[in-house]
Amino acid sequence: MTRYNFKETESHWQQVWDDQKCFETTEDPDKTKYYVLEMFPYPSGRIHMGHVRNYALGDLVARYKKARGFDVLHPMGWDAFGLPAENAAIANNVHPADWTRENIAAMRDQLKPMGLSYDWSRELATCDPGYYRHEQKMFLDFLEQGLVYRKESWVNWDPVENTVLANEQVIDGCGWRSGVPVEKRQLFQWFMKITDYAEDLLQGLSTLDRWPDRVRLMQEKWIGRSEGAHIYFDIEGSDEKLEVYTTRPDTIFGASFCAIAANHPIAIHLAENNREIKAFAEECNRLGTSEAAIETAEKLGFDTGLKCKHPFDDGKTLPLYIANFVLIEYGSGAIFGCPAHDQRDLDFAQKYGLDVETVVAPKGDPDFMVIDEAYTGDGVLINSNFLNGLNKAQGISKAVARLEEKNMGKGAVNYRLRDWGVSRQRYWGCPIPIVHCEHCGTVPVPENQLPVELPKDVILNEPGNPLARHPTWKYVACPKCGKNAIRETDTFDTFFESSWYFARFCSPHSEQPFSKQAADKWLPVDQYIGGIEHAVLHLLYSRFFTRALKDCGYLDLAEPFAGLLTQGMVCHVTYQDSDGNWLFPEEVVEKHAGVFELIKSGASVVRGRSEKMSKSKKNVVDPDGIIDIYGADTARLFMLSDSPPDRDLDWSDAGIEGAWRYLNRLWRMVMEPKTPFADIDLPEPKDLSEKLRVVQRHIHRTIAYVSDDLDRFHFNKAVARIRELTNEIQSLDGADENTSWVARYGMETIILLINPMTPHIAEALWQNMGYDQMLVDTPWPEARSDMLIDNVIEVAVQVNGKRRGSVNLPRGCDKQEAERQALALKTVEVIVADKPIRKIIVVPDRIINVVI
């Protein structure tokens, strides 16, 4: 039996594709462009199964669109700056640049055997000065446009990474990489005015109809648009006013206290002469900054002794607290507490013995009273003076009108989104092109002095920012006055690089950031593929960055990604020994059903649930090992066939074995065909039997359905349909010319359809079918419309109006044949027996009713 030699086949075709530059973008003006892009990887040095799945998905799309006649752009690059390289350099005593270059080379060597259709001539790395000099220029243009500013502000400080984190990089109160609780510090930082685009970013989501709903919802919630009012509370005995933003000004008569953040200007002023307030503020600043951390922490407050005057009740004042659950970043950093209708406020009020006044009641219950659980439902206003009897919308409108009439507030729209802090206090990043001069202030580096490159001689194994400690690099002449000055020693947040790389791919060798003509042709990215974890961070920043580039004249579009596919994770069962230590899958054997042991010792092993592959739990499978044993096509096919691409995939030995067996089956069907194939290019026989016509129609329906599945990203369904057709073609039996013609046509169709999924074996099979032209240059098959019409109809058969079965009839079957087949049904024969038939009613292609 002929055995499929995947190692020989895959290396051969990869070499052929390389030699003939099959995947270099053609820039053909007569073809419609299609830009497919997977989120580029961080060069950690090893690819994992998540990479394999992501790139297999993107490669399928790229190859399919190329076969459909599109001019395809499918590039690859490296998101090469970042803390992991710096930390690895410290741990291994190597330079981050060397570590990164070696990892890029290693990962490129791992990706090449997958046979991915990348245009490697466009490869880029964000740590290359030839790349980051352009973003330095962009930054200076943003500064000139008024989209960048520097200020001292409270920031999220990661005490392990020793750097600032953006709000989006704080997950459940902890650093997104380090996992340790984040602290608050005051530092001078560079910010991008993403808030200027808040409404535009929000409205733009409605145009992204090829994005997953959950990603759009996540961005909508992060932007966090709310309508409400600013209320200006007079502070008793002071000329100062406390500005509070609220979304529920209608509940103002239920207010029993006001509260400010620990770093609110009033709190900072009070702390100057009060040790207790200062200590309390320091305690608050040690609390995590995320909403989740604040919600779960005990609600604590410090009574400042100040009183705020109620805007509508002249006889009422509200105590002013400093509270650990109020964020300076949201609204004005101050709130009024309405305990009856906010559980957090109610907990706080009960802790400190404050009033609880019910001002919203369920409709029809004017005596309603809140005791232990805040009422947050709809209702009507009570105990609220001129607002009594109004619903929420009416109450808000009337309260805002009265506030504006009394000059004590105004209606407002607020956003949860904060400006993007892009300063990072680490070495391995793009230098911010600014010089600080005692005489001239903040001075941009002139364009002819870009790029500002990182110094190579740095000391990394000491705390703090290596650039700030550098003995020479940071000292420079001021570009304006020529006097001694100091470089900005912060580097950009690495999301800065990934916010525009997709545009650089359009013309990666241009002396400009990208050719305007190339960007106009290729952008937006038609299909972007990556993980759901980037829904807020990378995707939101990229949308903002594209708008900023548009406003600075770089681009003519606002949305960078027309289509988005977020692939699920690759999961594997977990194993632990009796002491709870995690075990690698290859250390474990299933002794018999449901009983697992250590291979070496025979000790008992506990099989856990399937979870995302992770090094910490050792439930990982090495892609190199799988490709070495089964080949790239097998790995790709399993990744594509086991589950929908947006859902998690459970890795299993049975699944990968099944994919391997199927490819060997295809190989044998071509190399040792049961039915001999007809010669190439023979015309379609005119006298095919009905049986062979049914197979022919199945072939064309499969073409149509698979094409539709691939257009909709139903890749697992497409694989299932191809396998179904495989079964039918393999079942053909006969050596006559007509059967041979259908066998060839069916086998060729299977090869063409499976090519984007398993390109190596497909190319080999195509060649063995007698073709000289490579599949990579062969058009996608087209389904004949006349073959999509089913000429056989299932028609229900009734006896005296009751269904007794069905018969398959040719479409438009004559009445006499329909009657004959209906009466021949066993179920009908039994009922009719010797009874006289009064009449038979035939509704063509629908129903046959025998009346006895």
Side-chain angles (χ1 to χ4, degrees):
M1 183 177 290
T2 304
R3 185 177 183 276
Y4 172 47
N5 186 334
F6 70 84
K7 289 189 176 181
E8 180 181 293
T9 299
E10 292 184 352
S11 63
H12 168 74
W13 286 107
Q14 287 163 19
Q15 189 63 54
V16 171
W17 294 331
D18 273 353
D19 291 345
Q20 299 193 21
K21 296 181 169 49
C22 290
F23 304 119
E24 288 195 9
T25 311
T26 60
E27 302 276 4
D28 188 338
D30 296 327
K31 291 183 177 181
T32 303
K33 71 94 177 179
Y34 195 90
Y35 185 177
V36 57
L37 180 66
E38 302 96 77
M39 293 180 185
F40 66 167
Y42 179 78
S44 61
R46 298 289 300 173
I47 65 169
H48 52 68
M49 280 300 176
H51 289 130
V52 175
R53 190 181 194 198
N54 190 20
Y55 305 145
L57 294 171
D59 196 56
L60 187 161
V61 175
R63 287 177 178 271
Y64 170 63
K65 291 297 182 181
K66 181 177 174 65
R68 294 304 296 257
F70 288 87
D71 190 13
V72 173
L73 172 59
H74 187 209
M76 169 54 76
W78 311 95
D79 192 9
F81 273 138
L83 285 169
E86 194 165 334
N87 292 339
I90 295 169
N92 300 307
N93 196 30
V94 296
H95 196 281
D98 297 334
W99 187 86
T100 301
R101 279 194 297 269
E102 289 169 6
N103 285 353
I104 287 174
M107 290 182 73
R108 188 192 300 112
D109 288 345
Q110 288 177 293
L111 289 176
K112 291 270 189 171
M114 285 182 64
L116 302 165
S117 59
Y118 291 131
D119 181 352
W120 285 103
S121 71
R122 294 176 183 247
E123 182 183 9
L124 60 80
T126 60
C127 63
D128 183 346
Y131 178 87
Y132 68 70
R133 74 180 176 95
H134 296 300
E135 72 185 47
Q136 290 177 340
K137 175 62 166 61
M138 291 173 185
F139 176 82
L140 297 179
D141 288 341
F142 294 159
L143 181 64
E144 186 176 347
Q145 188 77 9
L147 296 176
V148 170
Y149 63 94
R150 184 174 185 259
K151 72 170 184 178
E152 187 177 30
S153 65
W154 290 93
V155 297
N156 307 308
W157 180 261
D158 188 314
V160 169
E161 304 286 12
N162 286 310
T163 190
V164 168
L165 301 179
N167 289 338
E168 294 86 345
Q169 294 167 316
V170 179
I171 311 298
D172 295 331
C174 297
W176 72 305
R177 286 194 186 275
S178 70
V180 300
V182 167
E183 301 170 358
K184 294 179 185 175
R185 289 192 183 181
Q186 268 194 310
L187 289 176
F188 276 99
Q189 297 286 291
W190 288 98
F191 290 88
M192 297 275 287
K193 288 187 178 179
I194 190 171
T195 54
D196 282 6
Y197 295 82
E199 188 63 30
D200 189 39
L201 288 167
L202 186 64
Q203 294 301 320
L205 292 172
S206 64
T207 69
L208 301 175
D209 54 358
R210 293 201 295 116
W211 279 40
D213 289 341
R214 63 174 178 161
V215 174
R216 293 192 292 176
L217 181 61
M218 289 166 74
Q219 290 209 4
E220 181 181 330
K221 287 185 174 180
W222 190 262
I223 294 168
R225 186 184 194 275
S226 63
E227 294 186 17
H230 290 291
I231 302 177
Y232 310 126
F233 288 88
D234 290 325
I235 298 178
E236 203 172 56
S238 170
D239 293 332
E240 279 193 87
K241 290 182 182 289
L242 178 69
E243 181 182 340
V244 167
Y245 173 77
T246 177
T247 59
R248 293 297 304 269
D250 56 314
T251 64
I252 186 64
F253 285 98
S256 65
F257 68 94
C258 289
I260 55 177
N263 37 27
H264 189 281
I266 292 176
I268 293 171
H269 176 70
L270 293 173
E272 290 175 356
N273 299 304
N274 189 311
R275 289 184 179 179
E276 289 183 86
I277 291 179
K278 184 178 181 181
F280 181 77
E282 289 173 352
E283 182 181 348
C284 290
N285 287 332
R286 283 191 291 271
L287 182 66
T289 59
S290 75
E291 291 176 19
I294 288 168
E295 284 301 318
T296 54
E298 181 186 3
K299 308 303 181 287
L300 300 175
F302 188 99
D303 190 348
T304 65
L306 298 175
K307 304 289 184 184
C308 299
K309 296 179 181 179
H310 194 286
F312 299 137
D313 188 342
D314 292 338
K316 185 175 183 179
T317 59
L318 311 173
L320 178 61
Y321 283 80
I322 301 169
N324 66 349
F325 58 84
V326 181
L327 290 170
I328 191 65
E329 295 89 0
Y330 183 76
S332 54
I335 66 162
F336 75 77
C338 182
H341 306 292
D342 183 292
Q343 192 61 43
R344 178 197 61 188
D345 293 352
L346 181 58
D347 295 342
F348 189 83
Q350 290 176 336
K351 183 180 183 71
Y352 293 103
L354 303 172
D355 293 339
V356 178
E357 180 71 38
T358 303
V359 293
V360 180
K363 197 170 184 179
D365 189 2
D367 299 323
F368 176 75
M369 182 177 292
V370 168
I371 299 176
D372 293 321
E373 184 177 347
Y375 177 70
T376 58
D378 292 333
V380 296
L381 291 163
I382 61 174
N383 304 319
S384 296
N385 198 295
F386 63 90
L387 301 175
N388 283 336
L390 302 179
N391 62 28
K392 176 182 173 181
Q394 294 167 335
I396 290 174
S397 179
K398 193 164 185 178
V400 170
R402 186 68 63 92
L403 285 167
E404 291 178 345
E405 180 186 316
K406 297 184 67 175
N407 202 28
M408 299 188 72
K410 61 181 180 181
V413 173
N414 196 53
Y415 298 91
R416 178 179 179 270
L417 183 67
R418 301 293 91 199
D419 278 340
W420 176 15
V422 296
S423 298
R424 298 294 179 268
Q425 294 69 42
R426 297 303 292 260
Y427 166 71
W428 192 236
C430 173
I432 297 177
I434 293 292
V435 171
H436 300 287
C437 174
E438 286 186 9
H439 306 280
C440 305
T442 299
V443 182
V445 173
E447 185 177 352
N448 62 6
Q449 294 181 23
L450 299 179
V452 177
E453 294 193 43
L454 290 168
K456 292 185 171 60
D457 55 331
V458 287
I459 298 172
L460 298 171
N461 57 359
E462 294 180 9
N465 183 355
L467 294 178
R469 297 192 308 269
H470 198 280
T472 58
W473 179 85
K474 69 176 183 177
Y475 299 107
V476 65
C478 172
K480 266 190 179 179
C481 68
K483 295 180 180 177
N484 291 337
I486 295 177
R487 289 191 189 280
E488 172 63 69
T489 57
D490 286 352
T491 54
F492 284 133
D493 176 7
T494 54
F495 282 104
F496 209 92
E497 284 83 59
S498 60
S499 291
W500 71 281
Y501 80 106
F502 46 86
R504 180 67 176 169
F505 274 138
C506 297
S507 50
H509 308 298
S510 171
E511 284 301 307
Q512 301 302 313
F514 40 80
S515 154
K516 184 75 160 48
Q517 182 180 3
D520 288 344
K521 171 178 179 173
W522 290 110
L523 293 177
V525 174
D526 295 281
Q527 191 57 55
Y528 201 34
I529 303 170
I532 190 71
E533 67 272 17
H534 297 294
V536 170
L537 288 160
H538 163 59
L539 291 171
L540 186 61
Y541 289 151
S542 296
R543 294 181 63 223
F544 156 64
F545 215 91
T546 303
R547 285 163 166 78
L549 289 174
K550 179 183 178 183
D551 287 350
C552 290
Y554 285 83
L555 292 170
D556 290 328
L557 79 161
E559 293 295 346
F561 312 119
L564 175 67
L565 172 63
T566 53
Q567 90 278 2
M569 297 180 293
V570 181
C571 303
H572 196 293
V573 294
T574 52
Y575 299 101
Q576 290 175 282
D577 63 19
S578 57
D579 295 325
N581 299 309
W582 299 105
L583 302 169
F584 288 108
E586 58 267 26
E587 298 179 88
V588 178
V589 65
E590 187 171 11
K591 196 66 176 177
H592 49 83
V595 177
F596 299 87
E597 293 181 354
L598 269 171
I599 293 173
K600 283 188 175 179
S601 66
S604 178
V605 169
V606 177
R607 182 181 188 271
R609 62 190 179 91
S610 181
E611 299 183 43
K612 176 187 176 182
M613 287 188 182
S614 69
K615 292 179 182 177
S616 62
K617 294 186 178 178
K618 296 187 176 180
N619 63 333
V620 292
V621 175
D622 180 21
D624 284 353
I626 293 297
I627 292 173
D628 187 59
I629 295 170
Y630 296 102
D633 281 345
T634 300
R636 290 165 61 124
L637 183 62
F638 172 65
M639 288 288 184
L640 296 166
S641 62
D642 199 59
S643 63
D646 58 338
R647 296 186 188 171
D648 292 349
L649 179 147
D650 282 319
W651 182 271
S652 70
D653 293 341
I656 195 74
E657 285 281 356
W660 168 242
R661 285 195 301 271
Y662 174 72
L663 293 185
N664 276 275
R665 181 179 164 204
L666 287 182
W667 185 259
R668 291 192 299 273
M669 285 174 68
V670 171
M671 305 306 292
E672 300 173 350
K674 184 173 71 172
T675 297
F677 297 125
D679 292 339
I680 292 178
D681 296 332
L682 282 182
E684 176 187 334
K686 295 181 179 179
D687 57 344
L688 289 179
S689 66
E690 183 56 34
K691 181 179 178 181
L692 289 177
R693 287 289 182 203
V694 169
V695 177
Q696 186 186 26
R697 283 194 291 271
H698 187 185
I699 294 169
H700 282 275
R701 284 200 300 272
T702 302
I703 294 171
Y705 292 151
V706 167
S707 301
D708 185 61
D709 287 336
L710 297 188
D711 285 332
R712 295 159 157 276
F713 305 126
H714 296 167
F715 303 144
N716 59 317
K717 289 185 179 179
V719 173
R721 295 187 202 278
I722 296 170
R723 286 194 175 208
E724 185 182 335
L725 179 61
T726 304
N727 293 338
E728 181 145 17
I729 299 304
Q730 193 172 31
S731 69
L732 287 174
D733 193 8
D736 61 283
E737 291 181 358
N738 289 357
T739 304
S740 293
W741 184 89
V742 172
R744 168 174 279 279
Y745 186 54
M747 197 68 232
E748 287 180 358
T749 299
I750 291 168
I751 296 169
L752 287 164
L753 294 180
I754 207 164
N755 174 51
M757 307 167 196
T758 58
H760 306 90
I761 192 172
E763 288 281 13
L765 293 175
W766 192 246
Q767 189 180 63
N768 279 292
M769 291 294 287
Y771 288 95
D772 294 325
Q773 178 176 277
M774 289 193 299
L775 270 182
V776 75
D777 298 319
T778 302
W780 190 251
E782 296 291 338
R784 272 172 43 187
S785 58
D786 63 304
M787 286 286 173
L788 303 182
I789 300 170
D790 200 338
N791 290 321
V792 177
I793 304 285
E794 183 180 1
V795 178
V797 178
Q798 299 177 339
V799 176
N800 290 341
K802 188 171 183 179
R803 183 184 172 97
R804 296 298 180 180
S806 64
V807 290
N808 293 321
L809 300 175
R811 185 181 293 276
C813 179
D814 64 72
K815 185 174 184 294
Q816 186 176 359
E817 177 63 15
E819 290 178 358
R820 186 189 69 76
Q821 291 207 33
L823 292 173
L825 268 179
K826 292 295 182 185
T827 51
V828 174
E829 281 184 347
V830 170
I831 295 170
V832 173
D834 296 328
K835 300 181 183 70
I837 297 172
R838 294 166 57 194
K839 61 179 176 179
I840 301 176
I841 302 167
V842 178
V843 180
D845 299 336
R846 292 184 60 191
I847 197 167
I848 304 168
N849 187 21
V850 180
V851 182
I852 58 176

